[in-house]
Amino acid sequence: MTTDVIALTERMPDAWSLVAGLMAGGPDMGVATVGEGAVIQLCDDQGRPLASIEAPMLVRTPGEVARLLGPGAAGVTEPVWWTEVRASTAARNSAALAGALATRLVTQLGGAVWPPEAAAADGGAAPVADVVTASAPAAAQPAVDVLTDSVAAVIQDRPVVAMTAWLSDALRAALESERGLQIVTPRTSRLSLPTRSLLSGLPNRWVVQDGEGGYFDGQSGSGLVWKNGAFTATGTPAPAFVAATAEAADTGEQQLLLTGVTCRPADRGLQLGGALETLWQRLTGAPPAGWGTAEPANLSWSRQELTELARRRAPDPSLFMVVGDPSRPAVSTMRVGRTTGGVEEDLTLALGYREGAEPPLDTLPDLAAELVAGHGLVSLLIQRRRGRADLTVPAHLEAAPAPVAFVLGAEAVRDLGLARARRVPLPDGPVQLGPASGAGLYYPVPDGSWDAFQALMGYLHSLGKERDADR
């Protein structure tokens, strides 16, 4: 497996501390920069990278280090400087080199090395000898371990595979080159929700080692083989996936999942994140704790700063990760883009509930009404499921989500006609949200039935076709 080592330091790594860290490879190693200077690489005498060092990131959000690194980061409290060191899989002794480099930074700046066992016993004082690259790396992208004509493969050995900045760059580069991204992990790894959502869609895959020399898809459970430069499904369930699913205990934990779209006019006074903040406040009792363009979400929550960044990037779309206080697990992604109708925010929000806690389903109609009235809600799907309260995704089958309700915003209801949109093929009619002149509709789904939900969607779709035919 590849070796990722993180220096979690109390003080910011400056140029001199980075230079001292880079000397962990001895005076004969070269130094190069890629990614417009955002990544520093230690190279052998032929210019082949041995270790890549990401730009330091100040993580202010409480609980982010523990959320992504687990018990191995015990004792580390935010704010903390997060500096990733990624060792080349093609180089012998590269793991020791990455550990020594991170240890040197921590020795100078205070803090901790993650994982703890990667720390150099001598404090990184002695240069690491015999670091040799076996072959030229297959990809210039520092995060990629194997590059073929069809996929970019990344090998990870972390408790939680998060959508870090470098992994996000690898995904972007793979898409731009019309390749899939395939992340290879041991069975013990889990995915963060942003990673799972961005990894969806073939040929992207989560490739899990079964511990016996085989592989399976961590989401579908299909056995995988390396064929024609990519991990390809065999079409049969992997025994390791089946066994892991059978062994997984029902802990009584739950998740509430919300997926929605808002759209508002693109005026100068617009501030993004209002709908998401409202959801968070009503469902957890507090606003989001932090946000960022990748994980860890390193910035304290600020709608103004988020809006300013999205405005600087426009007309290109922006994707943001948002997290909550560790006492109330919640994770969100928010994609912002311009459309002919204005500025759209595509939201996903997942909330975790430990055993004995119940999602506040009775508050959802009033919450939906607030989104319709004040935040330009277009639509919202609400689901619940049995699943981990920490919102990470394990490499076994989880219970499927069940639909709780579907919400249509005022513009969609107006287009379909309020009277017709109320006459749905369900035992109970929808709840009207607001006055008739600007009403949205909240459709409860009886007994979490997907059949009932599909009937509802079919009916609303038919109304849309009738409307289009009349125009």
Side-chain angles (χ1 to χ4, degrees):
M1 300 296 285
T2 189
T3 299
D4 293 344
V5 182
I6 302 173
L8 301 166
T9 60
E10 299 167 1
R11 302 190 300 280
M12 176 182 177
D14 57 17
W16 288 111
S17 57
L18 287 173
V19 167
L22 291 168
M23 293 301 292
D28 296 331
M29 288 190 183
V31 177
T33 60
V34 295
E36 299 181 349
V39 179
I40 302 174
Q41 293 182 324
L42 271 178
C43 305
D44 65 11
D45 56 5
Q46 297 184 48
R48 297 177 298 199
L50 305 172
S52 300
I53 308 154
E54 295 285 326
M57 173 192 299
L58 178 59
V59 178
R60 301 184 181 91
T61 309
E64 270 298 87
V65 172
R67 180 177 76 89
L68 300 179
L69 301 183
V76 176
T77 57
E78 296 82 5
V80 65
W81 287 92
W82 176 301
T83 306
E84 296 222 10
V85 185
R86 182 173 172 80
S88 169
T89 53
R92 184 170 69 238
N93 275 355
S94 62
L97 177 62
L101 199 158
T103 302
R104 285 193 173 203
L105 291 177
V106 168
T107 299
Q108 298 175 79
L109 305 170
V113 173
W114 182 92
E117 60 270 21
D122 61 356
V128 178
D130 198 28
V131 184
V132 179
T133 302
S135 61
Q141 170 63 242
V144 174
D145 294 290
V146 178
L147 188 70
T148 71
D149 291 340
S150 53
V151 301
V154 176
I155 307 172
Q156 285 280 273
D157 188 4
R158 297 192 184 199
V160 177
V161 180
M163 188 50 63
T164 57
W166 61 261
L167 191 56
S168 178
D169 288 342
L171 176 60
R172 187 180 306 110
L175 293 175
E176 290 174 353
S177 62
E178 298 184 345
R179 292 179 171 91
L181 181 68
Q182 299 191 337
I183 299 176
V184 184
T185 76
R187 292 174 61 177
T188 53
S189 292
R190 305 184 306 277
L191 302 185
S192 71
L193 282 181
T195 301
R196 182 178 72 171
S197 64
L198 294 174
L199 201 63
S200 61
L202 296 176
N204 297 336
R205 284 193 190 277
W206 177 20
V207 181
V208 181
Q209 296 176 323
D210 66 7
E212 299 179 359
Y215 302 88
F216 63 88
D217 188 300
Q219 299 189 72
S220 73
S222 174
L224 299 174
V225 294
W226 182 259
K227 183 179 180 181
N228 298 327
F231 283 100
T232 305
T234 63
T236 58
F241 182 85
V242 173
T245 300
E247 294 167 2
D250 183 358
T251 63
E253 297 179 340
Q254 297 185 66
Q255 298 172 0
L256 184 64
L257 311 172
L258 301 98
T259 307
V261 179
T262 67
C263 186
R264 289 177 295 164
D267 59 59
R268 295 183 63 86
L270 174 64
Q271 268 205 354
L272 302 173
L276 185 60
E277 185 177 78
T278 296
L279 285 168
W280 222 291
Q281 185 74 49
R282 298 296 181 267
L283 293 172
T284 73
W291 71 284
T293 56
E295 295 179 290
N298 62 313
L299 303 170
S300 299
W301 175 247
S302 169
R303 290 178 58 194
Q304 179 178 344
E305 292 177 7
L306 185 149
T307 302
E308 289 172 353
L309 178 55
R311 186 170 285 128
R312 289 196 299 269
R313 291 180 166 186
D316 292 334
S318 292
L319 176 67
F320 303 113
M321 318 291 176
V322 186
V323 298
D325 186 274
S327 63
R328 166 57 72 198
V331 178
S332 176
T333 61
M334 183 171 74
R335 189 181 298 274
V336 179
R338 289 290 300 270
T339 69
T340 54
V343 179
E344 276 194 3
E345 299 175 40
D346 292 292
L347 312 173
T348 67
L349 172 60
L351 301 103
Y353 296 86
R354 298 180 177 89
E355 183 179 10
E358 288 291 327
L361 302 184
D362 57 335
T363 68
L364 294 176
D366 288 342
L367 175 54
E370 189 172 352
L371 297 179
V372 169
H375 299 284
L377 183 71
V378 176
S379 65
L380 178 68
L381 172 62
I382 305 169
Q383 304 172 83
R384 69 186 298 187
R385 68 183 299 176
R386 291 286 186 180
R388 295 178 63 101
D390 65 9
L391 303 173
T392 59
V393 182
H396 62 70
L397 186 65
E398 290 189 295
V404 172
F406 181 72
V407 184
L408 272 183
E411 184 174 345
V413 171
R414 193 160 39 244
D415 282 350
L416 298 177
L418 177 59
R420 293 197 301 172
R422 293 178 63 93
R423 293 193 297 268
V424 292
L426 297 177
D428 298 316
V431 177
Q432 180 172 316
L433 309 175
S437 57
L441 291 173
Y442 179 97
Y443 300 92
V445 179
D447 302 319
S449 167
W450 279 109
D451 288 340
F453 178 77
Q454 290 171 357
L456 169 64
M457 294 286 78
Y459 175 75
L460 295 177
H461 181 67
S462 68
L463 290 185
K465 291 177 67 175
E466 291 176 13
R467 173 204 59 196
D468 293 340
D470 292 340
R471 289 179 175 174

